[in-house]
Amino acid sequence: MAGYLTRRILGALLVMWAVATLVFFMMRAVPGDPLAAMMFDSGDPAAAEDLRRALGMDVPLVDQYARWLWQLLHGNFGSSIYGSQVPVRQLLAEALPRTLSIAGLSFVVACVIAVPAGIIAAMRKNSPADNALTLVAFLGLSMPDFWFAILLIILFAANLQWLPAIGYSPMSEGFWPWLSHLIMPAIAAGTTFSAIIARMIRSSMIEVLKTDFLRTARSKGLLTWRILLVHALPNALIPVVTVMGIALALMLAGTVVVENVFAIKGLGRTLIEGILNRDYPVVQGAILAVSAIFIGANLVVDVLYTIIDPRIRYS
Amino acid sequence: MTDHHDRSAPPTAAAMRAAWDDAHDFDPRDPLVGLSRADMAGPQIGRRAVLRLMAAAGTLTVAHLLPRGPAMAQGKAGGTLKCGWAGVGQITTLDPAKMNQVLQFQITSNVLSGLTHINAELIAEADLARDWELSADGTEYTFNLREGVTFHNGEPFTADDVIFTYERSKNPAVSIHSRALGNVRGVEKLGSHKVRFKLVGPQASFLVKTTERSSGRVLTILNKTAIEKMGESAHGLMPVGTGPFRITQHVLAQNLTLEKFDKYYDPERPKLDRVIIQPILDAEPLAAAIEAGDIQLIGGGQIAPELIDRLVANKDLVVNIQPSPGFESIWLNPHREPFKVSSFDKPMAELMKEKGFMVRLAIAKAIDRELFIKQAEFGRGTPAHGSVNPAMAFYFDKELGKASLQRFDLAEAKRLMAAAGYPDGKGFPRLKVLLTPPMRRQVEVIRAILKRNIGIELEPVVKDIPVALDEFSTMEWDMVRIGSGGDYDPDDAIVDWMQTSSLFNGQKRDKAKYPFGYFSDKEADALIEEQRVEGNLEKRRALVQKADRITSDKVASAFLYHPATILIHRKQVNFPDASKIPALVDLDRTTLS
């Protein structure tokens, strides 16, 4: 296992380097000069060139790449090109807790909705309950999350005034302020994923419920909940965990739309704004963070397989 | 235009009549309309002088004679005001040397000071300068600085800070506005609290454009020690100044906290203990936040026009609408068919024979501006026929809308199109309009109006802001939808946009391909140059208006509208008239009920 993990981590680093390199060159191939917007008011092309030199953007691309990679190896992600040139590390450090908070709570919301719904639908296959849950799941999948988020704001913030409409409050300012700002974003982001996970649990459970060992369990007179939770669910979880892992990675990469609607700047919005502004260092830093998250989530899922099913062994 | 706008009790009819008569009590042949040099000297130009100048300009209305309300809002001191800043995800900088957005200097106007600051009438009045004198030849401004002023870090404000700020701002490696100091030869320290600015030539806009604390930006006074101690980056997010509020926290993209500065030079201000500013990018969350009471005031960028009616209808909100200092336009590349113009330096009669000019004028005349404002801006805005905006009441030409060749005239637009060889738009090429995402709705409205009115087809090409601005600078476009904001002085409009040497006239263009940029007219250039150095306000106004008419008649661009400044707050926020400076959100006089 240790050898396997070492190989996976080394492979992950290689993938991250490849992704970062690709992004470095692709971003510069995209039309748009980041200094154009910054220096537009100055009306002085010479001043723009001075700034280009100051930012090290006047040297050949390969030299820029080498410099960036060298800084990266020293843990320096560079600084935003825009405004007061805030270090990318600071931008990511501020964005990540917000994204982790939304993703974590969204994942909880998704699981709380999906697991019971999936099990009930599988147990009562083709019943009105199953059909109703299927319909709700499709609605959840079809509903644009920004629209659902706005509905939540109108109902719970503007009309009922139970929850704050926008913004984020760090945990350091209290648990309730933190939670109250995240309830609606988590519901908006989690609902879509809950539909996907519920459908996966349902189909996986239906397959498992047909197996011989569960027939044996039933014939031995075991309680239904015990059959479902102890015998059926763990065996149905392998494909579900894969989907959950992907869902969690997607949430961690930043639920851009939800972040926009609730005015919370997480990783997703940092990345999108960076792309729109052609803020190269920010995009590169954010892509590195996102790729690390995806690779990390995949690794965690693979390790979870061995816990869920002890027959799985990596060597 | 004001919705839910509380005014003080109106004055008596007799008082109004007396003020009106006094404002008009001058000899029309007197260029100074009965005002002396003392009336025009600092620390501010008095209300009587302003009313008289407006009367001379023909811009004085009864509305101007109504009392502006108390200078300080009614209500008790203290409390925390929560604001939402519209249309922005994060405040990337508050360093005056780096700022290029109105929504940024709206914040710094509460934190930093300049030598002067404009008031609600767009007149420069004393800020860190106690008063000033102007030399006879108009090239030297001597400022007596306010004593006993303290920076937020406890350091005293002296002439050295003015010199430090000047040196920093003129360095193009540090400041993106260094060119704005092009007319300043140098600054001389005459004492611990006295400085003299020496100009290359007279500059009428110096007090409004250069020394003003928000729109000027180049002489917004900073503290050297603070920058050295904090570093450029950290200081850029939490600059140290001498303003009524100091920044105590700035969590990027989340909130910015301003706290009352107890040592502000005016002990009466500010009234609030704290202001929390939250950037809110999207329109709907912004509306929901103020409806829910999460925020009590909206500042920042333009509020989505489709939301205004909904907010006006909300009885818990106050919506104040006034002209905004800017103009919006459609620019037509004069080097490309079908609106190619060999040279604008021709008499109108000759220009009118050129097919390219006919098309330019036809497009400008075919735009029903009232309809455009109604459909694109939900009725909020003023039709524009030139670059000088109505917020500069003294310089704004109220007759331009009737006199300009660009005025809406469908029959004439059709005639011109036919004369140019495109009857009802037949044979007219499909033209691309460069725009940024926020302009999409406006361009769709223009597209529909021009299609219906003269049968031409436009193709919107949406580009990200860096790409669009870059392409605008290189002039690789048929048409562009772009405009200007924060124009407090005619120089911000006609100098920055309408001269051959203007800031934005194809900065990065291929000069062989596009020799004179998007517009160039020798007569307009000369008038604009002349008004820049004209100290007599009335003469300057005449020059400004003449230049404005030329650029309008010769279709430097198809002018669309002057936007509205829309200030929205909840009823418990008392935002006095004295603070209603177009496009700014000065909170030093604001209170909470």
Side-chain angles (χ1 to χ4, degrees):
Chain A
M1 190 67 173
Y4 169 78
L5 283 176
T6 307
R7 279 199 306 278
R8 284 293 301 265
I9 289 164
L10 286 173
L13 289 173
L14 197 66
V15 169
M16 282 169 66
W17 167 77
V19 167
T21 301
L22 199 65
V23 168
F24 182 94
F25 289 103
M26 277 175 69
M27 273 301 292
R28 282 152 179 84
V30 172
D33 179 2
L35 300 190
M38 285 170 64
M39 300 303 289
F40 187 67
D41 275 10
S42 82
D44 187 354
E49 288 315 303
D50 286 346
L51 183 63
R52 199 179 301 279
R53 265 192 297 278
L55 292 169
M57 290 167 65
D58 60 326
V59 296
L61 212 52
V62 175
D63 292 353
Q64 289 182 47
Y65 173 71
R67 186 186 302 160
W68 171 73
L69 201 60
W70 182 248
Q71 286 177 336
L72 195 64
L73 290 170
H74 291 78
N76 180 358
F77 286 77
S79 294
S80 164
I81 291 171
Y82 276 81
S84 287
Q85 297 169 9
V86 179
V88 173
R89 193 191 304 179
Q90 183 187 330
L91 290 172
L92 295 179
E94 285 174 350
L96 268 169
R98 299 168 196 153
T99 293
L100 287 172
S101 299
I102 296 174
L105 271 181
S106 302
F107 191 69
V108 169
V109 167
C111 291
V112 164
I113 296 170
V115 173
I119 292 172
I120 291 164
M123 279 177 63
R124 304 181 191 285
K125 188 183 162 192
N126 298 330
S127 69
D130 180 26
N131 293 335
L133 285 166
T134 303
L135 181 70
V136 170
F138 275 114
L139 279 175
L141 275 171
S142 317
M143 199 164 44
D145 47 6
F146 73 89
W147 180 75
F148 185 44
I150 287 170
L151 284 187
L152 290 173
I153 289 175
I154 290 169
L155 178 62
F156 293 107
N159 290 339
L160 297 172
Q161 301 194 2
W162 288 354
L163 294 167
I166 48 159
Y168 173 82
S169 178
M171 187 84 86
S172 58
E173 288 178 21
F175 178 75
W176 174 244
W178 172 82
L179 186 65
S180 65
H181 281 89
L182 291 173
I183 290 171
M184 287 194 291
I187 292 170
T191 304
T192 304
F193 290 107
S194 72
I196 300 167
I197 296 167
R199 296 294 298 162
M200 183 56 74
I201 288 175
R202 178 188 177 275
S203 56
S204 191
M205 283 287 281
I206 286 169
E207 288 303 309
V208 172
L209 288 170
K210 288 182 198 164
T211 54
D212 291 343
F213 78 89
L214 276 190
R215 257 198 299 274
T216 307
R218 270 196 291 269
S219 63
K220 281 166 68 180
L222 288 179
L223 293 169
T224 305
W225 68 265
R226 194 173 167 80
I227 293 168
L228 286 171
L229 299 180
V230 178
H231 297 282
L233 192 59
N235 284 287
L237 271 183
I238 293 285
V240 174
V241 164
T242 307
V243 171
M244 282 179 166
I246 293 167
L248 183 61
L250 285 169
M251 291 178 201
L252 284 167
T255 45
V256 181
V257 173
V258 168
E259 286 175 13
N260 257 351
V261 173
F262 291 100
I264 300 171
K265 190 171 181 183
L267 197 53
R269 233 179 78 185
T270 301
L271 177 58
I272 294 295
E273 278 182 22
I275 291 168
L276 291 176
N277 291 330
R278 308 294 188 272
D279 197 341
Y280 305 144
V282 171
V283 175
Q284 284 148 205
I287 288 282
L288 271 176
V290 169
S291 57
I293 285 166
F294 266 89
I295 290 163
N298 272 322
L299 193 58
V300 169
V301 166
D302 286 351
V303 172
L304 272 178
Y305 288 161
T306 64
I307 295 165
I308 293 165
D309 188 347
R311 292 169 300 179
I312 296 172
R313 284 282 174 269
Y314 298 116
S315 58
Chain B
M1 290 185 291
T2 305
D3 301 278
H4 301 317
H5 181 45
D6 300 324
R7 278 204 178 272
S8 306
T12 62
M16 294 266 286
R17 167 56 63 188
W20 181 269
D21 289 345
D22 180 63
H24 289 85
D25 183 21
F26 58 85
D27 181 349
R29 291 165 300 178
D30 176 4
L32 278 179
V33 293
L35 297 171
S36 64
R37 269 191 75 196
D39 289 328
M40 305 295 284
Q44 66 175 15
I45 301 174
R47 176 173 164 80
R48 179 178 165 271
V50 172
L51 292 179
R52 182 165 292 202
L53 290 167
M54 291 174 85
T59 56
L60 187 66
T61 66
V62 174
H64 292 108
L65 298 174
L66 287 165
R68 296 289 302 168
M72 197 67 76
Q74 302 305 297
K76 64 181 193 297
T80 298
L81 177 72
K82 291 184 176 176
C83 305
W85 238 238
V88 59
Q90 71 177 19
I91 310 294
T92 53
T93 185
L94 292 170
D95 180 345
K98 307 265 192 294
M99 291 188 302
N100 60 357
Q101 292 177 292
V102 173
L103 59 89
Q104 293 165 327
F105 65 68
Q106 282 177 348
I107 297 172
T108 57
S109 188
N110 290 289
V111 176
L112 309 173
S113 306
L115 297 180
T116 60
H117 186 41
I118 49 169
N119 62 19
E121 309 279 1
L122 298 194
I123 301 294
E125 52 185 25
D127 191 7
L128 285 179
R130 202 176 62 238
D131 54 39
W132 58 85
E133 294 152 20
L134 177 62
S135 65
D137 65 355
T139 61
E140 290 185 359
Y141 278 88
T142 305
F143 291 95
N144 292 302
L145 306 176
R146 201 181 288 274
E147 295 183 35
V149 175
T150 311
F151 278 99
H152 299 155
N153 63 353
E155 287 204 354
F157 160 71
T158 67
D160 292 331
D161 299 299
V162 178
I163 291 164
F164 164 73
T165 301
Y166 166 75
E167 296 290 345
R168 183 175 185 264
S169 289
K170 75 171 188 180
N171 179 359
V174 176
S175 172
I176 65 170
H177 308 293
S178 56
R179 197 173 133 153
L181 289 169
N183 191 42
V184 181
R185 188 183 297 137
V187 57
E188 186 183 355
K189 180 179 171 181
L190 301 178
S192 66
H193 288 83
K194 191 167 186 170
V195 291
R196 176 177 293 149
F197 280 88
K198 294 181 175 179
L199 309 188
V200 176
Q203 183 186 341
S205 64
F206 187 72
L207 295 174
V208 172
K209 193 170 164 67
T210 311
T211 59
E212 211 287 318
R213 77 184 183 208
S214 49
S215 63
R217 297 188 291 269
V218 282
L219 287 172
T220 306
I221 305 301
L222 296 174
N223 179 264
K224 186 180 180 182
T225 311
I227 295 173
E228 286 172 351
K229 199 172 170 182
M230 295 168 75
E232 288 278 353
S233 178
H235 178 270
L237 295 179
M238 297 174 69
V240 170
T242 60
F245 293 94
R246 62 192 180 93
I247 302 176
T248 55
Q249 188 188 42
H250 188 171
V251 182
L252 270 174
Q254 221 49 66
N255 59 59
L256 178 73
T257 305
L258 315 182
E259 289 195 7
K260 175 180 182 170
F261 181 46
D262 289 328
K263 293 179 180 169
Y264 184 54
Y265 66 73
D266 181 354
E268 293 299 309
R269 294 180 285 154
K271 294 293 190 186
L272 295 164
D273 286 338
R274 193 175 294 105
V275 176
I276 297 171
I277 293 170
Q278 182 169 354
I280 305 173
L281 190 62
D282 285 4
E284 185 57 44
L286 182 80
I290 198 157
E291 285 167 341
D294 284 8
I295 57 171
Q296 298 146 305
L297 182 142
I298 297 175
Q302 287 287 331
I303 299 161
E306 61 268 28
L307 287 177
I308 307 297
D309 285 347
R310 169 175 147 192
L311 299 176
V312 165
N314 187 323
K315 63 183 189 307
D316 295 327
L317 303 178
V318 175
V319 179
N320 184 275
I321 300 171
Q322 62 184 134
S324 182
F327 72 94
E328 300 294 339
S329 274
I330 289 270
W331 302 76
L332 316 163
N333 191 329
H335 304 277
R336 289 192 180 183
E337 296 296 356
F339 20 63
K340 195 168 184 174
V341 173
S342 56
S343 166
F344 287 99
D345 292 319
K346 294 176 180 177
M348 278 305 300
E350 269 186 64
L351 264 181
M352 288 294 274
K353 291 173 189 166
E354 286 197 27
K355 284 185 179 180
F357 185 77
M358 287 180 201
V359 172
R360 293 175 75 85
L361 191 56
I363 287 172
K365 290 184 88 67
I367 298 171
D368 180 346
R369 290 160 179 81
E370 297 281 1
L371 180 65
F372 168 81
I373 290 167
K374 187 179 170 187
Q375 292 183 341
E377 293 295 299
F378 292 77
R380 292 178 177 89
T382 310
H385 298 87
S387 58
V388 178
N389 67 71
M392 310 176 202
F394 178 69
Y395 295 101
F396 181 62
D397 186 349
K398 283 203 305 186
E399 298 305 310
L400 189 61
K402 295 173 199 157
S404 169
L405 292 180
Q406 289 202 26
R407 69 189 178 277
F408 177 59
D409 183 339
L410 190 49
E412 182 62 6
K414 286 183 171 190
R415 189 196 67 75
L416 285 164
M417 286 296 283
Y422 305 108
D424 295 324
K426 287 187 182 74
F428 198 83
R430 188 183 169 93
L431 295 170
K432 290 182 175 171
V433 186
L434 176 65
L435 66 141
T436 54
M439 307 278 189
R440 184 80 206 218
R441 180 190 179 87
Q442 291 188 3
V443 171
E444 288 298 344
V445 172
I446 292 162
R447 188 183 176 187
I449 288 173
L450 291 177
K451 171 82 178 154
R452 190 175 56 244
N453 286 354
I454 51 176
I456 69 171
E457 192 67 63
L458 303 180
E459 182 188 333
V461 179
V462 185
K463 297 276 177 85
D464 292 342
I465 289 169
V467 184
L469 292 181
D470 202 27
E471 288 189 12
F472 179 67
S473 300
T474 57
M475 281 198 63
E476 294 298 335
W477 39 267
D478 297 331
M479 298 165 81
V480 176
R481 168 67 196 88
I482 201 166
S484 180
D487 300 350
Y488 295 108
D489 183 272
D491 280 10
D492 293 319
I494 52 179
V495 170
D496 287 356
W497 290 88
M498 295 294 153
Q499 269 188 306
T500 309
S501 58
S502 287
L503 278 179
F504 306 117
N505 191 5
Q507 292 168 19
K508 293 161 78 174
R509 72 185 188 272
D510 176 344
K511 289 195 170 124
K513 202 170 169 187
Y514 308 121
F516 57 78
Y518 56 59
F519 182 72
S520 169
D521 179 82
K522 284 196 176 87
E523 190 186 359
D525 283 353
L527 288 163
I528 293 167
E529 206 50 44
E530 199 180 339
Q531 68 80 35
R532 279 189 73 201
V533 298
E534 179 55 64
N536 179 305
L537 291 185
E538 195 186 344
K539 281 184 184 170
R540 187 183 181 208
R541 185 193 61 212
L543 295 166
V544 166
Q545 293 188 349
K546 195 172 176 187
D548 204 24
R549 285 204 182 199
I550 291 169
T551 56
S552 180
D553 286 347
K554 292 196 171 181
V555 199
S557 72
F559 295 100
L560 290 172
Y561 77 112
H562 300 292
T565 290
I566 300 169
L567 183 81
I568 300 173
H569 55 82
R570 291 186 71 84
K571 275 200 168 158
Q572 69 264 36
V573 178
N574 305 303
F575 196 88
D577 285 349
S579 295
K580 286 172 185 162
I581 303 165
L584 292 187
V585 187
D586 282 9
L587 298 166
D588 51 344
R589 292 178 169 88
T590 298
T591 60
L592 292 169
S593 295

